[in-house]
Amino acid sequence: MTAIDTLASYSRRLPTPSYADWVIRVPLAAVVIQQGWFKIPGFAAQADSYGLPLIVFGLAALAEIGGGIALLLGGLLRNWFGDVLTRLAGLGIAIVVAGVIVMIYFGPWIGWQFQSMLLAGGVFFLLRGNGDDLSPAAYDNR
């Protein structure tokens, strides 16, 4: 038996907690809620500084706050609705963060690493949701 086979054998015996997604879910939700909340004071001045119409800036703030809350609620509701809520939160977060990367960091590509991790988190929850099966029957058997 090789060292790789031994490691693979031990790896298969390790427990895989079903709620490990909370390690990513909580900090991602906290950061995007905070970013949305920080847009509220000086709302018009901030929108103007980025050259955005108020409606677009407001939708971004709403998507960040709502997306973070939906991400947390979606994780608490371990059923098909929670899964859909988690995926919608991931979509909203990914769209807003992709917009930030394009608007602020496109060109010099300096300082975008943090935002790329937020984008990866949003895409992760968009694609994964709360599990692998979206059907209500799959959640009834848990």
Side-chain angles (χ1 to χ4, degrees), residues 39 105 113:
K39 287 178 175 60
Y105 300 103
Q113 294 86 352

Side-chain angles (χ1 to χ4, degrees), residues 17-43:
S18 62
Y19 295 100
D21 60 322
W22 285 96
V23 174
I24 299 170
R25 188 184 299 266
V26 171
L28 178 62
V31 168
V32 296
I33 289 170
Q34 178 192 29
Q35 292 300 311
W37 192 258
F38 284 167
K39 287 178 175 60
I40 295 172
F43 183 78

Side-chain angles (χ1 to χ4, degrees), residues 97-109:
V97 175
V100 168
I101 291 172
V102 168
M103 286 192 59
I104 296 174
Y105 300 103
F106 192 74
W109 292 108

Side-chain angles (χ1 to χ4, degrees), residues 6-124:
T6 303
L7 287 174
S9 172
Y10 285 125
S11 176
R12 282 190 292 275
R13 288 188 234 157
L14 292 174
T16 55
S18 62
Y19 295 100
D21 60 322
W22 285 96
V23 174
I24 299 170
R25 188 184 299 266
V26 171
L28 178 62
V31 168
V32 296
I33 289 170
Q34 178 192 29
Q35 292 300 311
W37 192 258
F38 284 167
K39 287 178 175 60
I40 295 172
F43 183 78
Q46 286 188 59
D48 188 47
S49 72
Y50 291 110
L52 290 173
L54 285 175
I55 187 73
V56 172
F57 196 72
L59 288 173
L62 182 64
E64 287 173 327
I65 295 170
I69 292 169
L71 191 61
L72 294 173
L73 287 177
L76 292 173
L77 302 171
R78 296 308 258 194
N79 56 27
W80 68 270
F81 181 71
D83 190 79
V84 171
L85 196 58
T86 295
R87 290 175 191 270
L88 290 174
L91 176 65
I93 291 167
I95 289 171
V96 170
V97 175
V100 168
I101 291 172
V102 168
M103 286 192 59
I104 296 174
Y105 300 103
F106 192 74
W109 292 108
I110 297 171
W112 58 274
Q113 294 86 352
F114 177 70
Q115 282 72 21
S116 70
M117 292 306 294
L118 296 178
L119 178 62
V123 171
F124 172 82

